[in-house]
Amino acid sequence: SLDSEYVLASSLDQNKMVLYRTKTNNKLMQYVGHADTITACAVNLGSKQVVSGSDDRTVRYWDMLSAKQVRSDSCPNQINNIDLSASELQLATCHMNDIRIWSTKHGKVIATLQGAHHDAVTCAKFTPDENAIISTGKDNTVKIWDVKTWKQIGSSWEHEAYSCPSSGAIRNKSEFCISPNGQYIVVGSSNGCVFVMDIKSGAIQVE
């Protein structure tokens, strides 16, 4: 969670999530209902909800305290990954080639970035100021998208030593980090290399 008070974990083989309190490591709640593997989850503190994406092609919202499902939003594709914006008003979902942006309040798709990557989109995250979305794909590229126009900013970042990793059982999912000031992105490669890239210039700061 944004306040670091909770940790939400999902199970690959049991299609459930468990909420823990970080200070005590106590198990607080369990969320069950997806029909297939849960690929990503997040805590929406503002609405006291848990959000999850799954291979069953749904985004689901759960009451954080009662564990009851609040809403299920259908999607035409399996969901590889999700990211909740800092304001918790928008949700990005990753799919095969495409990225969808959802309103968390209404459960409606705000925008679809069709053909965002030439292969599976493994991760997409809002920058802290929510002015852009950064994405990675199995086409081994990193891309930046303008949230106002939904157009790509600049050219795709590629490097001969960068190969997009996958997360074991979830083959079309990976992760990267954005610095709190929104200036840098840290991406890991399947060959063990780590790159620190300046988001504005695209220059590699550390390799």
Side-chain angles (χ1 to χ4, degrees):
S1 61
L2 292 175
D3 63 358
S4 300
E5 187 175 348
Y6 304 100
V7 171
L8 182 65
S10 61
S11 170
L12 286 174
D13 58 346
Q14 299 181 32
N15 304 337
K16 68 179 181 181
M17 298 172 290
V18 179
L19 185 70
Y20 296 90
R21 191 181 298 277
T22 53
K23 291 182 179 179
T24 61
N25 200 33
N26 288 341
K27 178 180 175 181
L28 301 178
M29 201 63 62
Q30 181 172 287
Y31 310 87
V32 181
H34 276 291
D36 207 336
T37 301
I38 300 170
T39 53
C41 53
V43 176
N44 187 330
L45 281 177
S47 60
K48 296 295 182 184
Q49 291 180 346
V50 163
V51 190
S52 56
S54 170
D55 279 345
D56 66 9
R57 304 187 180 191
T58 63
V59 176
R60 304 196 187 201
Y61 294 79
W62 315 77
D63 185 278
M64 187 174 167
L65 302 179
S66 69
K68 292 182 178 180
Q69 183 176 303
V70 176
R71 193 176 75 230
S72 178
D73 300 329
S74 297
C75 188
N77 308 104
Q78 291 181 327
I79 299 166
N80 300 332
N81 212 338
I82 68 172
D83 183 60
L84 191 64
S85 65
S87 66
E88 301 180 326
L89 297 176
Q90 295 181 339
L91 183 79
T93 57
C94 305
H95 311 274
M96 182 58 73
N97 304 109
D98 303 331
I99 301 170
R100 288 182 176 84
I101 314 301
W102 303 71
S103 164
T104 56
K105 182 178 180 179
H106 303 290
K108 303 295 184 182
V109 175
I110 300 171
T112 300
L113 308 182
Q114 293 185 332
H117 285 266
H118 296 303
D119 205 332
V121 183
T122 58
C123 191
K125 293 187 177 184
F126 292 91
T127 53
D129 59 12
E130 298 186 38
N131 288 329
I133 289 175
I134 300 174
S135 63
T136 55
K138 294 195 75 174
D139 57 3
N140 300 325
T141 63
V142 179
K143 299 186 179 185
I144 305 174
W145 307 89
D146 189 308
V147 169
K148 293 181 180 178
T149 64
W150 304 115
K151 301 294 184 182
Q152 185 177 346
I153 301 173
S155 57
S156 304
W157 180 84
E158 298 179 82
H159 192 281
E160 60 182 8
Y162 173 69
S163 175
C164 183
S166 59
S167 297
I170 307 177
R171 64 184 183 279
N172 290 329
K173 179 182 179 180
S174 67
E175 294 292 340
F176 59 81
C177 298
I178 301 175
S179 62
N181 63 3
Q183 185 174 353
Y184 302 105
I185 173 177
V186 182
V187 293
S189 175
S190 60
N191 60 8
C193 292
V194 176
F195 299 89
V196 179
M197 184 183 73
D198 187 295
I199 292 176
K200 288 186 177 180
S201 68
I204 298 175
Q205 302 297 314
V206 179
E207 179 182 336

